[in-house]
Amino acid sequence: MTDNTLDTQIDLVRDEGFYQTNLRSRKFRGNLWKNFFLLAIIVAFGALLALFYNIANSAFGYVVEDYAVNPTTLAPDGNLSALREDELIAILLEYQERRLPVYIRDYVFTGDPTQFTTLPVSEVLAGKWYPPETDALTIRDLTPAQQAEVLERNMDQAQMVTLITEQVVDPVVLESYTLVESIFNRPAIEAEFQEEFVEQGATLYFTSWVNLDFLTSPLSNNPAAAGARTAIIGTLLVVIVTICIAFPIGVGAAIYLEEYSDHQEGHFLTRMNRIIETNIRNLAGVPSIIYGLLGLAVFVRTLGGVTGGRTIISASLTMALLILPVIIINAQEALRAVPSSLRDASYGMGATKWQTIYKVVMPSAIPGILTGTILAMSRAIGETAPLIIVGASTFILFDPSSLQSRFTVLPILIYNWTSRPQPEFKNLAASAIIVLLVLLLILNATAIILRQRARKSLAS
Amino acid sequence: MSAVKATAPATSGAYAIELKNVNVFYGEKLAVKDVNVNIQRQKITAFIGPSGCGKSTVLRALNRMNDLVLGARVAGEVIYNGQNLYGPNIDPVEVRRRIGMVFQKANPFPKSIYDNIAYGPRLLGIRGKQQLDDIVERSLKGAFLWDEVKNDLKKSGLALSGGQQQRLCIARAVAIEPDVILMDEPCSALDPIATQAIEELMRELVKTYTIVIVTHNMQQAQRVADFTAFFSIRKEMLNEGKDRRWGVLVEYAPTATIFNSPANEETERYIGGEFG
Ligand SMILES: Nc1ncnc2c1ncn2[C@@H]1O[C@H](COP(=O)(O)OP(=O)(O)OP(=O)(O)O)[C@@H](O)[C@H]1O
Ligand SMILES: [Mg+2]
């Protein structure tokens, strides 16, 4: 650069007019960007509001409900849970005498349903209580009283309450209204109720579809009795087992890659590690359905003997694979963010590598690692596609009782309910979404509290 | 693996550490060339010289901190108690337990004052509460920090002032009672009063320890150091206007000699403030 051009540039630095013109456009550009960012947050917030509006609209509102048998005629205040087992059995005997064998099949018998009617009682109910004198008979040969006793001895009270609610009381939702209708159109709703439903003996009341019954009842084909308990337990189990598998492996892999994998430039291990790292980064972007296919092939089919096939453990292993890259990448980021001055301090005192990692690097990195785990966990809760492939059930009567149980999870339940024809299932789906969101909040809050604690113990 | 010996065998004389033809490379690049220094036991030796001449590099070669830099390589011998620290079978972990280090920027752990000091002893396997309490008290007293912090040992080390943090780091290094303490510009981020405190501390510590300090402050070298090593930069022009630079040891002598009657003209110009 010649001295001449240098001088012109310095003149521009001194030129007040030039400065003022540019100042205006600089500020204008700054404001433009600021407004764009504001717009972005408004759009995001609006989308969130629309989501909440939609969910709340379906989850609360007036319903018109009718019963086959009004529960107030069965128990004081219609509260079946307050009854004793023998009282509940008496109700079953009175209203459903002919269906008792079916209930034995559904709630007591655990074998192959096709053999239920032909096998003798001693085999059908092996290991369960049955009237000893009847062991050679089939279930159908038992008297209703004997069948009732089998049920009474082999079911618990809560199961009976569910059974009676579904089969005897058999509540039917005749009509449901959205929250917005319920608030702004009440007179119209009441008029419609008076005109169409009141003489059938139905009742109109305001309800929250998310309630204790919804949380504690098992799945059901009857929307008035259906709950999400089985799916809530399924989701919790899958997520917790997934984290238990993915967290130690992911953090371990990250520690290896960040702390141990440095070899001399050109060393073949260095190249290997770089290939591994690149691949982990790419794996984080692989569509989840592909993990589902992998899980199906490996955990459900090949390792079916160990995992039991389409079970919680298969699903958790698949999910663990899915979130592993997320955990590894975030943990690596967190480890890398630990200042090298701290490592130097530790090594300078004669610490071994492991002591340095364990006592200095890990405590500083843990908050960041937990942040990554929160992200991963949120992903695991919401994932649906791989679980459908590895065989989450859409409908099961029993709660999962072990890691080798069949299961379902909330997103699948939501999907299943939204695709049902009865309109009430839309309300149920909205409730399930609320439960899913709350569950997400709770799990995230737990992780955030843990992280805050780790931060505090670092700062003190 | 042979252990790094704590006490000097009778044969090893007055030198704590002897550098013999030490060359340090970062990858292919030669950083310092052919350094020969004999560091005297229980004396303070200062490394001075212009920026980039390799003072820190040589200092870090003394306790194998360079091993932590990917691609760094040391050729030549660093003899400590008759053993070559770069010989086969020498574990750097053991080297650093004998030859501790204090860094330019104070780097306390994000832990309590107590845990900072107890870190080293705990590394060595000391668990007893009474023992640790004693070590913490003795080390903090040794670093003239005890009176200022004795009432809040649970406070974070990061909550101290810069000068206090640096003394905490010295106390932390002292806690495992090394043989030699290396200090890389320990006062460069401190005000004159905190600097004075550290200098007094060094004069006190040198009664027990051998100290090597890197400093840019000529007065500091004159005030605290018994011996001074002056390093400088050599360069060689390559084609296309590029050059290659490496550090060399120019002169090593008692501090008074270096500052009053240096043998080398380059030393004289440097301490006279003519370059650097
Ligand atoms: N980690 C490293 N990787 C590559 N080169 C390095 C590294 N550390 C130092 N160097 C090079 O080695 C030479 C000596 O650096 P060194 O830090 O030892 O100088 P110094 O005398 O301590 O300088 P200052 O007084 O500025 O601290 C410099 O040219 C520097 O660029
Ligand atoms: Mg330096």
Side-chain angles (χ1 to χ4, degrees):
Chain A
M1 205 178 288
T2 69
D3 278 359
N4 215 345
T5 54
L6 235 133
D7 276 352
T8 352
Q9 294 203 346
I10 288 172
D11 284 348
L12 270 183
V13 171
R14 293 180 190 146
D15 184 343
E16 192 60 23
F18 175 78
Y19 171 69
Q20 291 298 346
T21 357
N22 270 325
L23 190 62
R24 236 169 298 134
S25 82
R26 277 161 62 201
K27 288 188 173 163
F28 175 75
R29 253 172 290 156
N31 272 329
L32 212 61
W33 281 110
K34 191 185 105 193
N35 288 329
F36 171 74
F37 297 139
L38 185 67
L39 195 70
I41 193 75
I42 289 173
V43 169
F45 193 68
L48 206 63
L49 273 187
L51 174 76
F52 284 140
Y53 166 82
N54 231 322
I55 297 171
N57 208 15
S58 306
F60 308 96
Y62 277 104
V63 292
V64 179
E65 198 174 36
D66 197 7
Y67 311 102
V69 177
N70 196 321
T72 46
T73 64
L74 300 176
D77 292 335
N79 182 5
L80 291 169
S81 308
L83 297 181
R84 292 191 314 273
E85 288 195 14
D86 57 324
E87 290 169 326
L88 292 166
I89 285 297
I91 296 172
L92 267 188
L93 253 178
E94 182 182 344
Y95 289 94
Q96 304 260 313
E97 194 188 285
R98 298 186 44 204
R99 287 180 58 84
L100 292 178
V102 177
Y103 302 148
I104 294 178
R105 188 193 66 198
D106 287 351
Y107 287 90
V108 183
F109 177 60
T110 49
D112 177 1
T114 56
Q115 299 182 314
F116 177 72
T117 48
T118 50
L119 289 175
V121 169
S122 60
E123 277 184 49
V124 169
L125 296 176
K128 306 259 165 44
W129 184 92
Y130 54 88
E133 68 278 10
T134 64
D135 59 359
L137 306 174
T138 68
I139 290 284
R140 294 203 167 168
D141 300 328
L142 269 56
T143 65
Q146 283 172 325
Q147 291 170 346
E149 198 175 359
V150 168
L151 282 175
E152 184 184 345
R153 297 239 188 180
N154 292 313
M155 283 172 77
D156 60 32
Q157 197 248 7
Q159 279 178 312
M160 284 183 208
V161 172
T162 313
L163 179 63
I164 291 174
T165 309
E166 272 186 27
Q167 303 294 339
V168 180
V169 176
D170 191 17
V172 188
V173 176
L174 298 175
E175 185 72 83
S176 70
Y177 302 92
T178 65
L179 181 59
V180 173
E181 282 174 333
S182 303
I183 294 173
F184 298 108
N185 260 346
R186 236 186 103 189
I189 292 174
E190 262 167 20
E192 189 182 341
F193 172 70
Q194 293 299 342
E195 198 176 303
E196 290 183 28
F197 302 113
V198 83
E199 67 248 34
Q200 309 176 18
T203 47
L204 171 76
Y205 61 95
F206 187 86
T207 189
S208 152
W209 288 84
V210 214
N211 51 33
L212 201 62
D213 278 346
F214 178 76
L215 296 180
T216 55
S217 306
L219 308 185
S220 166
N221 279 321
N222 177 349
R229 186 185 73 204
T230 312
I232 293 173
I233 296 175
T235 287
L236 281 176
L237 277 176
V238 169
V239 168
I240 291 169
V241 176
T242 301
I243 291 294
C244 288
I245 297 168
F247 184 78
I249 298 179
V251 175
I255 290 179
Y256 176 79
L257 287 173
E258 275 311 303
E259 306 288 331
Y260 288 98
S261 73
D262 281 341
H263 299 274
Q264 295 296 330
E265 195 60 32
H267 195 286
F268 92 101
L269 275 178
T270 313
R271 239 169 302 148
M272 276 269 295
N273 287 322
R274 220 163 278 161
I275 292 172
I276 291 174
E277 254 187 87
T278 317
N279 277 310
I280 289 172
R281 258 145 232 278
N282 288 333
L283 280 179
V286 168
S288 58
I289 196 132
I290 307 231
Y291 285 95
L293 293 171
L294 178 72
L296 180 69
V298 178
F299 302 126
V300 177
R301 301 256 161 82
T302 312
L303 297 177
V306 190
T307 59
R310 300 165 179 275
T311 58
I312 290 199
I313 188 71
S314 297
S316 297
L317 286 166
T318 309
M319 286 298 229
L321 281 188
L322 174 75
I323 65 169
L324 210 48
V326 183
I327 293 189
I328 294 178
I329 291 170
N330 282 290
Q332 273 186 289
E333 255 6 290
L335 290 169
R336 215 171 292 162
V338 177
S340 64
S341 66
L342 291 184
R343 291 171 214 259
D344 285 349
S346 176
Y347 286 122
M349 312 265 321
T352 63
K353 186 160 210 164
W354 169 240
Q355 285 176 317
T356 302
I357 292 171
Y358 181 74
K359 293 177 174 227
V360 174
V361 177
M362 282 303 281
S364 291
I366 267 295
I369 293 177
L370 286 178
T371 307
T373 311
I374 294 173
L375 284 175
M377 195 161 68
S378 309
R379 179 151 185 212
I381 290 179
E383 273 299 344
T384 323
L387 290 186
I388 291 180
I389 299 208
V390 295
S393 315
T394 45
F395 191 82
I396 46 169
L397 272 175
F398 293 96
D399 293 338
S401 57
S402 76
L403 294 185
Q404 278 150 320
S405 304
R406 310 217 49 184
F407 70 100
T408 190
V409 290
L410 281 166
I412 289 178
L413 183 69
I414 292 165
Y415 172 72
N416 180 18
W417 276 347
T418 48
S419 53
R420 297 255 191 145
Q422 300 100 309
E424 292 73 35
F425 277 112
K426 300 272 182 298
N427 304 97
L428 288 172
S431 311
I433 291 173
I434 291 182
V435 173
L436 182 67
L437 291 179
V438 170
L439 216 58
L440 201 67
L441 276 180
I442 293 174
L443 287 174
N444 281 359
T446 320
I448 289 172
I449 289 169
L450 279 178
R451 184 178 70 188
Q452 237 41 30
R453 277 231 193 122
R455 285 234 171 99
K456 228 182 246 154
S457 72
L458 267 184
S460 73
Chain B
M1 191 164 289
S2 68
V4 176
K5 289 187 218 85
T7 46
T11 52
S12 65
Y15 301 131
I17 304 176
E18 298 163 57
L19 288 87
K20 295 188 172 162
N21 290 326
V22 169
N23 290 266
V24 187
F25 300 83
Y26 290 109
E28 293 301 303
K29 179 182 175 298
L30 174 66
V32 284
K33 189 175 177 189
D34 285 339
V35 173
N36 288 285
V37 179
N38 294 330
I39 292 173
Q40 308 266 351
R41 200 175 292 286
Q42 289 179 19
K43 296 280 187 259
I44 298 180
T45 302
F47 288 0
I48 62 170
S51 191
C53 67
K55 305 178 295 295
S56 301
T57 301
V58 173
L59 192 75
R60 291 164 62 88
L62 299 186
N63 70 342
R64 296 194 59 171
M65 285 300 276
N66 282 334
D67 290 25
L68 303 174
V69 179
L70 205 61
R73 185 164 58 82
V74 175
E77 291 186 354
V78 177
I79 311 285
Y80 169 73
N81 286 342
Q83 279 172 296
N84 179 10
L85 295 183
Y86 287 88
N89 302 332
I90 294 284
D91 185 352
V93 167
E94 288 184 58
V95 173
R96 297 181 200 125
R97 184 255 171 280
R98 303 281 173 224
I99 306 177
M101 190 147 201
V102 175
F103 299 83
Q104 176 170 3
K105 202 172 152 290
N107 55 358
F109 297 120
K111 302 174 190 276
S112 70
I113 293 171
Y114 184 99
D115 287 340
N116 262 284
I117 308 290
Y119 185 80
R122 282 183 177 140
L123 290 179
L124 303 181
I126 297 169
R127 293 270 173 276
K129 169 137 179 31
Q130 193 54 50
Q131 266 175 309
L132 287 174
D133 288 353
D134 289 348
I135 293 174
V136 169
E137 183 173 342
R138 192 173 57 207
S139 309
L140 285 171
K141 279 180 175 161
F144 299 148
L145 195 58
W146 177 249
D147 289 332
E148 289 158 69
V149 302
K150 65 183 170 201
N151 291 323
D152 32 26
L153 293 175
K154 291 248 173 321
K155 205 167 73 170
S156 169
L158 294 170
L160 297 173
S161 77
Q164 287 175 324
Q165 287 191 14
Q166 197 58 294
R167 276 182 285 152
L168 179 67
C169 291
I170 295 175
R172 182 177 64 185
V174 165
I176 52 170
E177 302 193 4
D179 214 17
V180 182
I181 302 177
L182 310 176
M183 300 186 180
D184 194 348
E185 301 186 47
C187 304
S188 64
L190 304 182
D191 69 55
I193 295 177
T195 301
Q196 196 188 349
I198 301 235
E199 287 178 8
E200 277 168 24
L201 174 57
M202 282 193 275
R203 288 311 319 174
E204 197 59 37
L205 289 174
V206 79
K207 294 174 183 163
T208 329
Y209 303 101
T210 303
I211 296 179
V212 184
I213 174 179
V214 171
T215 179
H216 276 290
N217 183 332
M218 297 298 139
Q219 285 79 32
Q220 181 170 62
Q222 271 176 289
R223 283 192 300 262
V224 300
D226 303 296
F227 293 86
T228 299
F230 171 61
F231 291 81
S232 187
I233 303 175
R234 294 283 174 268
K235 65 179 169 186
E236 178 184 270
M237 296 309 289
L238 303 174
N239 44 5
E240 293 168 16
K242 290 183 189 150
D243 58 11
R244 200 159 67 92
R245 292 156 185 260
W246 65 93
V248 292
L249 173 70
V250 177
E251 189 171 353
Y252 172 57
T255 303
T257 314
I258 291 275
F259 282 92
N260 298 327
S261 51
N264 191 296
E265 190 202 346
E266 197 178 353
T267 318
E268 192 170 353
R269 274 191 289 143
Y270 183 76
I271 60 170
E274 282 176 45
F275 80 92

